[in-house]
PDB file of all heavy atoms in Angstrom:
ATOM      1  N   GLY A 131       8.095   3.118 -22.892  1.00 80.00           N
ATOM      2  CA  GLY A 131       6.929   2.343 -23.316  1.00 80.00           C
ATOM      3  C   GLY A 131       5.659   2.947 -22.752  1.00 80.00           C
ATOM      4  O   GLY A 131       5.635   4.104 -22.316  1.00 80.00           O
ATOM      5  N   ARG A 132       4.603   2.132 -22.764  1.00 82.00           N
ATOM      6  CA  ARG A 132       3.312   2.579 -22.230  1.00 82.00           C
ATOM      7  C   ARG A 132       2.814   1.531 -21.249  1.00 82.00           C
ATOM      8  O   ARG A 132       3.109   0.342 -21.376  1.00 82.00           O
ATOM      9  CB  ARG A 132       2.303   2.817 -23.343  1.00 82.00           C
ATOM     10  CG  ARG A 132       2.855   3.703 -24.447  1.00 82.00           C
ATOM     11  CD  ARG A 132       1.776   4.257 -25.345  1.00 82.00           C
ATOM     12  NE  ARG A 132       1.073   5.367 -24.706  1.00 82.00           N
ATOM     13  CZ  ARG A 132       1.530   6.613 -24.652  1.00 82.00           C
ATOM     14  NH1 ARG A 132       2.691   6.913 -25.191  1.00 82.00           N
ATOM     15  NH2 ARG A 132       0.837   7.571 -24.069  1.00 82.00           N
ATOM     16  N   LEU A 133       2.083   1.966 -20.258  1.00 80.00           N
ATOM     17  CA  LEU A 133       1.622   1.084 -19.192  1.00 80.00           C
ATOM     18  C   LEU A 133       0.614   0.078 -19.736  1.00 80.00           C
ATOM     19  O   LEU A 133      -0.344   0.450 -20.417  1.00 80.00           O
ATOM     20  CB  LEU A 133       0.982   1.927 -18.080  1.00 80.00           C
ATOM     21  CG  LEU A 133       0.738   1.238 -16.742  1.00 80.00           C
ATOM     22  CD1 LEU A 133       2.051   0.772 -16.137  1.00 80.00           C
ATOM     23  CD2 LEU A 133       0.029   2.192 -15.786  1.00 80.00           C
ATOM     24  N   SER A 134       0.832  -1.199 -19.426  1.00 79.00           N
ATOM     25  CA  SER A 134      -0.053  -2.234 -19.985  1.00 79.00           C
ATOM     26  C   SER A 134      -1.482  -2.103 -19.489  1.00 79.00           C
ATOM     27  O   SER A 134      -2.427  -2.399 -20.220  1.00 79.00           O
ATOM     28  CB  SER A 134       0.502  -3.627 -19.631  1.00 79.00           C
ATOM     29  OG  SER A 134       0.563  -3.795 -18.220  1.00 79.00           O
ATOM     30  N   GLY A 135      -1.674  -1.640 -18.247  1.00 75.00           N
ATOM     31  CA  GLY A 135      -3.031  -1.504 -17.718  1.00 75.00           C
ATOM     32  C   GLY A 135      -3.712  -0.206 -18.080  1.00 75.00           C
ATOM     33  O   GLY A 135      -4.915  -0.039 -17.836  1.00 75.00           O
ATOM     34  N   ALA A 136      -2.969   0.738 -18.633  1.00 79.00           N
ATOM     35  CA  ALA A 136      -3.532   2.029 -19.044  1.00 79.00           C
ATOM     36  C   ALA A 136      -2.642   2.576 -20.151  1.00 79.00           C
ATOM     37  O   ALA A 136      -1.697   3.321 -19.908  1.00 79.00           O
ATOM     38  CB  ALA A 136      -3.599   2.991 -17.859  1.00 79.00           C
ATOM     39  N   GLU A 137      -2.913   2.184 -21.384  1.00 81.00           N
ATOM     40  CA  GLU A 137      -2.021   2.470 -22.495  1.00 81.00           C
ATOM     41  C   GLU A 137      -1.927   3.953 -22.832  1.00 81.00           C
ATOM     42  O   GLU A 137      -1.068   4.359 -23.615  1.00 81.00           O
ATOM     43  CB  GLU A 137      -2.446   1.668 -23.724  1.00 81.00           C
ATOM     44  CG  GLU A 137      -2.296   0.169 -23.525  1.00 81.00           C
ATOM     45  CD  GLU A 137      -2.525  -0.620 -24.804  1.00 81.00           C
ATOM     46  OE1 GLU A 137      -2.735   0.023 -25.860  1.00 81.00           O
ATOM     47  OE2 GLU A 137      -2.491  -1.854 -24.753  1.00 81.00           O
ATOM     48  N   SER A 138      -2.780   4.754 -22.267  1.00 81.00           N
ATOM     49  CA  SER A 138      -2.683   6.192 -22.509  1.00 81.00           C
ATOM     50  C   SER A 138      -1.573   6.832 -21.670  1.00 81.00           C
ATOM     51  O   SER A 138      -1.232   7.995 -21.874  1.00 81.00           O
ATOM     52  CB  SER A 138      -4.020   6.874 -22.171  1.00 81.00           C
ATOM     53  OG  SER A 138      -4.327   6.707 -20.790  1.00 81.00           O
ATOM     54  N   ILE A 139      -1.016   6.060 -20.732  1.00 81.00           N
ATOM     55  CA  ILE A 139      -0.008   6.599 -19.822  1.00 81.00           C
ATOM     56  C   ILE A 139       1.379   6.125 -20.237  1.00 81.00           C
ATOM     57  O   ILE A 139       1.642   4.923 -20.254  1.00 81.00           O
ATOM     58  CB  ILE A 139      -0.292   6.167 -18.370  1.00 81.00           C
ATOM     59  CG1 ILE A 139      -1.663   6.684 -17.922  1.00 81.00           C
ATOM     60  CG2 ILE A 139       0.794   6.671 -17.439  1.00 81.00           C
ATOM     61  CD1 ILE A 139      -2.070   6.210 -16.564  1.00 81.00           C
ATOM     62  N   PRO A 140       2.281   7.058 -20.592  1.00 82.00           N
ATOM     63  CA  PRO A 140       3.654   6.650 -20.914  1.00 82.00           C
ATOM     64  C   PRO A 140       4.429   6.307 -19.648  1.00 82.00           C
ATOM     65  O   PRO A 140       4.204   6.891 -18.590  1.00 82.00           O
ATOM     66  CB  PRO A 140       4.233   7.902 -21.600  1.00 82.00           C
ATOM     67  CG  PRO A 140       3.455   9.035 -21.021  1.00 82.00           C
ATOM     68  CD  PRO A 140       2.067   8.503 -20.745  1.00 82.00           C
ATOM     69  N   VAL A 141       5.333   5.358 -19.782  1.00 81.00           N
ATOM     70  CA  VAL A 141       6.203   4.982 -18.674  1.00 81.00           C
ATOM     71  C   VAL A 141       7.574   5.591 -18.932  1.00 81.00           C
ATOM     72  O   VAL A 141       8.169   5.389 -19.995  1.00 81.00           O
ATOM     73  CB  VAL A 141       6.318   3.448 -18.538  1.00 81.00           C
ATOM     74  CG1 VAL A 141       7.292   3.084 -17.432  1.00 81.00           C
ATOM     75  CG2 VAL A 141       4.953   2.844 -18.268  1.00 81.00           C
ATOM     76  N   ARG A 142       8.081   6.335 -17.946  1.00 80.00           N
ATOM     77  CA  ARG A 142       9.362   7.011 -18.102  1.00 80.00           C
ATOM     78  C   ARG A 142      10.331   6.576 -17.003  1.00 80.00           C
ATOM     79  O   ARG A 142       9.899   6.202 -15.910  1.00 80.00           O
ATOM     80  CB  ARG A 142       9.172   8.541 -18.060  1.00 80.00           C
ATOM     81  CG  ARG A 142       8.284   9.097 -19.164  1.00 80.00           C
ATOM     82  CD  ARG A 142       8.192  10.625 -19.043  1.00 80.00           C
ATOM     83  NE  ARG A 142       7.451  11.221 -20.136  1.00 80.00           N
ATOM     84  CZ  ARG A 142       6.149  11.480 -20.106  1.00 80.00           C
ATOM     85  NH1 ARG A 142       5.460  11.212 -19.001  1.00 80.00           N
ATOM     86  NH2 ARG A 142       5.545  12.018 -21.134  1.00 80.00           N
ATOM     87  N   VAL A 143      11.600   6.644 -17.328  1.00 81.00           N
ATOM     88  CA  VAL A 143      12.642   6.376 -16.333  1.00 81.00           C
ATOM     89  C   VAL A 143      13.635   7.525 -16.352  1.00 81.00           C
ATOM     90  O   VAL A 143      13.752   8.255 -17.352  1.00 81.00           O
ATOM     91  CB  VAL A 143      13.385   5.041 -16.600  1.00 81.00           C
ATOM     92  CG1 VAL A 143      12.448   3.862 -16.467  1.00 81.00           C
ATOM     93  CG2 VAL A 143      14.046   5.056 -17.960  1.00 81.00           C
ATOM     94  N   ASP A 144      14.330   7.702 -15.255  1.00 81.00           N
ATOM     95  CA  ASP A 144      15.343   8.737 -15.153  1.00 81.00           C
ATOM     96  C   ASP A 144      16.576   8.296 -15.923  1.00 81.00           C
ATOM     97  O   ASP A 144      17.236   7.322 -15.561  1.00 81.00           O
ATOM     98  CB  ASP A 144      15.698   8.990 -13.684  1.00 81.00           C
ATOM     99  CG  ASP A 144      16.623  10.181 -13.498  1.00 81.00           C
ATOM    100  OD1 ASP A 144      17.771  10.093 -13.975  1.00 81.00           O
ATOM    101  OD2 ASP A 144      16.197  11.182 -12.886  1.00 81.00           O
ATOM    102  N   LEU A 145      16.887   9.007 -17.003  1.00 79.00           N
ATOM    103  CA  LEU A 145      17.974   8.600 -17.887  1.00 79.00           C
ATOM    104  C   LEU A 145      19.318   8.592 -17.162  1.00 79.00           C
ATOM    105  O   LEU A 145      20.106   7.648 -17.301  1.00 79.00           O
ATOM    106  CB  LEU A 145      18.028   9.548 -19.092  1.00 79.00           C
ATOM    107  CG  LEU A 145      19.088   9.252 -20.142  1.00 79.00           C
ATOM    108  CD1 LEU A 145      18.889   7.856 -20.711  1.00 79.00           C
ATOM    109  CD2 LEU A 145      19.035  10.289 -21.249  1.00 79.00           C
ATOM    110  N   ASP A 146      19.575   9.610 -16.365  1.00 81.00           N
ATOM    111  CA  ASP A 146      20.859   9.702 -15.673  1.00 81.00           C
ATOM    112  C   ASP A 146      21.051   8.542 -14.705  1.00 81.00           C
ATOM    113  O   ASP A 146      22.116   7.912 -14.664  1.00 81.00           O
ATOM    114  CB  ASP A 146      20.959  11.035 -14.932  1.00 81.00           C
ATOM    115  CG  ASP A 146      22.292  11.182 -14.204  1.00 81.00           C
ATOM    116  OD1 ASP A 146      23.323  11.266 -14.887  1.00 81.00           O
ATOM    117  OD2 ASP A 146      22.289  11.188 -12.962  1.00 81.00           O
TER     118      ASP A 146
END
Side-chain angles (χ1 to χ4, degrees):
R132 309 196 77 80
L133 194 61
S134 60
E137 295 188 4
S138 62
I139 300 175
V141 177
R142 299 181 175 93
V143 296
D144 187 295
L145 181 59
D146 181 66

